[in-house]
Amino acid sequence: MKSRVLTTTSFPNEAKTADNIRKELQQQLVSVLGFDASVMNCVVWDQGANYVAALRPYRCLDCQDHLYNTVLRHALNPDELSETIPEVAETLQATKALVRYLKQSGLTSRLSKTVKQMAETRFSTVFLTLKSIESVYSELQEILQSRSESQRLHDVSPDVLAFLVQFLRLFYDAQRELERDKYPTLNLVVPLASQAKTPLQPDSVKEAERDDIFQLAKRQIARFREEGTAVQGADQAAAASISVSAPVAAGHAAKKRALAEFEEEWENIVEQDEDDDDEVQQYLRLNHNMEGDGRDVLLWWKQHETLLPQLSRLARTVFSVPASSSSSERVFSAAGRVIEERRTTLKPSTVDAILFLHDAL
């Protein structure tokens, strides 16, 4: 798995409409990078808010990292929690107020571990704040009691705190996995989501989802075979056209062509026999265990490419798509450190070169 920065550019001085965004993307890919215009159909685009209309004709995928964040931001909405689970809302608000007080009073220096600040817009900071308070809860009791300020911990229920840390840890760990770009992450989306649904979803629903995936894989394999048949037919037509206009070769060339025709006929027979045995069923019969192969699922498919050629092709196509846009977000963060207050006059080409080298070296 490789993640690379191809190019960065400043947006033209015009409205960021859907048409202008699509035009600029095509300009960069075709005119600057030299791709064929059809590459727009080969890319799976991040479905950001301002890209939805611009890329509607093309394949888009929501960033799973952002989806987790959005779901949990709504789930932890203090107004809704106050009505449905007031003890959770009280613990969250009291924890936030406690951290603010600890920072302002300088009491954090007396703690054995750092206390994290909570930002409601990103749930990961909510988890880290709750986890940091839980880890020093007994210390806080002693410090606040010595200052006659035990009431500041009154609404921070240790039981609710432990429950929230345990509940949110699953989503936090999932986000950390989906943000990586050194190995495929799209294959982790379904297992992580299934893990989150386990307490809530019956097994019959999971079985139905699994069957749907198997059927989708079979349809995609059939499409690959149709494409291969069409390409083979075109090649044969081109060869026939050439043979009509060219003189018939003799001697060594004739033997070579005859051998090639025999090999092609034999390959067709072998492929037909393999078609009778469904690759999806072959894959299921392997009863494989991916734990020994680590995170690199593409390596596993590379090793089984001969046994499962069509599924391996499907795996390369699908698993090359990242599950989140975190790689792009990191480029924006790097750009923010490059274009700082004292370097606002940098040329776009200079910024592009700096970010390219920062990523490549």
Side-chain angles (χ1 to χ4, degrees):
M1 188 71 173
K2 303 294 182 183
S3 174
R4 291 290 181 265
V5 174
L6 297 180
T7 184
T8 57
T9 184
S10 60
F11 198 81
N13 189 21
E14 54 189 24
K16 289 185 175 66
T17 63
D19 289 339
N20 288 338
I21 290 175
R22 184 167 56 250
K23 187 196 323 179
E24 183 61 24
L25 284 172
Q26 292 171 336
Q27 164 75 10
Q28 291 299 314
L29 287 171
V30 178
S31 301
V32 177
L33 295 174
F35 287 105
D36 188 84
S38 62
V39 74
M40 295 288 289
N41 295 310
C42 302
V43 176
V44 177
W45 301 93
D46 175 29
Q47 194 160 304
N50 58 340
Y51 272 59
V52 174
L55 299 171
R56 186 165 288 127
Y58 307 108
R59 292 180 297 176
C60 296
L61 181 69
D62 286 317
C63 170
Q64 299 301 305
D65 200 23
H66 288 164
L67 285 178
Y68 272 99
N69 197 63
T70 301
V71 168
L72 288 166
R73 188 175 69 248
H74 287 288
L76 298 176
N77 183 288
D79 296 331
E80 295 183 8
L81 285 175
S82 298
E83 298 179 2
T84 56
I85 319 176
E87 59 269 28
V88 171
E90 289 175 0
T91 297
L92 288 172
Q93 293 300 321
T95 301
K96 186 176 180 180
L98 176 61
V99 171
R100 188 185 308 115
Y101 169 74
L102 293 173
K103 297 284 187 181
Q104 293 174 349
S105 63
L107 292 176
T108 53
S109 60
R110 297 175 58 182
L111 299 172
S112 61
K113 297 181 180 179
T114 303
V115 174
K116 305 292 185 181
Q117 190 79 38
M118 185 185 300
E120 295 180 356
T121 55
R122 292 194 65 83
F123 105 89
S124 58
T125 64
V126 177
F127 167 75
L128 292 174
T129 299
L130 295 172
K131 180 173 174 288
S132 65
I133 291 297
E134 183 190 35
S135 66
V136 295
Y137 192 86
S138 58
E139 296 179 39
L140 286 172
Q141 283 182 313
E142 294 180 7
I143 293 173
L144 293 176
Q145 187 175 6
S146 66
R147 295 168 59 94
S148 300
E149 294 178 333
S150 299
Q151 74 279 2
R152 295 187 181 277
L153 269 177
H154 182 266
D155 290 331
V156 182
S157 168
D159 292 336
V160 175
L161 194 62
F163 164 76
L164 287 173
V165 170
Q166 181 182 7
F167 172 73
L168 293 176
R169 185 186 299 277
L170 176 67
F171 299 94
Y172 178 82
D173 291 343
Q175 275 196 312
R176 299 289 80 74
E177 288 294 323
L178 295 175
E179 288 174 356
R180 304 184 189 278
D181 56 15
K182 302 300 183 185
Y183 55 84
T185 52
L186 198 63
N187 57 298
L188 301 175
V189 173
V190 172
L192 290 173
S194 178
Q195 187 178 359
K197 295 176 184 177
T198 296
L200 310 173
Q201 195 176 65
D203 291 338
S204 59
V205 175
K206 298 175 188 175
E207 290 292 337
E209 289 180 346
R210 189 179 295 111
D211 291 341
D212 288 343
I213 293 173
F214 292 157
Q215 294 304 318
L216 180 62
K218 291 179 180 180
R219 289 196 297 272
Q220 188 62 51
I221 288 176
R223 186 179 305 170
F224 285 158
R225 286 174 176 155
E226 290 174 2
E227 293 173 357
T229 302
V231 170
Q232 186 179 18
D235 290 344
Q236 290 174 347
S241 174
I242 292 172
S243 64
V244 169
S245 59
V248 177
H252 178 72
K255 291 180 181 179
K256 186 175 182 180
R257 185 171 64 252
L259 180 60
E261 290 173 353
F262 171 80
E263 289 176 344
E264 180 181 352
E265 182 179 358
W266 177 252
E267 288 173 357
N268 289 339
I269 294 174
V270 174
E271 288 177 1
Q272 182 63 40
D273 291 340
E274 290 177 350
D275 287 351
D276 295 335
D277 194 3
D278 189 346
E279 280 195 21
V280 174
Q281 294 303 322
Q282 284 184 281
Y283 168 77
L284 295 175
R285 285 197 296 269
L286 288 177
N287 195 26
H288 60 279
N289 186 349
M290 288 296 298
E291 291 182 2
D293 299 300
R295 292 189 173 111
D296 196 352
V297 67
L298 284 177
L299 177 61
W300 188 92
W301 282 107
K302 178 65 176 177
Q303 294 169 343
H304 294 77
E305 188 174 19
T306 303
L307 178 64
L308 304 168
Q310 301 296 344
L311 271 180
S312 296
R313 179 184 173 188
L314 179 59
R316 287 196 304 272
T317 302
V318 173
F319 295 146
S320 62
V321 181
S324 78
S325 59
S326 298
S327 294
S328 299
E329 298 287 350
R330 284 191 279 269
V331 176
F332 279 104
S333 297
R337 292 190 293 271
V338 171
I339 312 172
E340 58 179 11
E341 185 177 352
R342 293 172 295 179
R343 306 177 75 185
T344 56
T345 58
L346 286 173
K347 294 180 180 179
S349 59
T350 303
V351 176
D352 180 31
I354 291 173
L355 294 177
F356 178 84
L357 293 173
H358 174 269
D359 175 74
L361 295 179

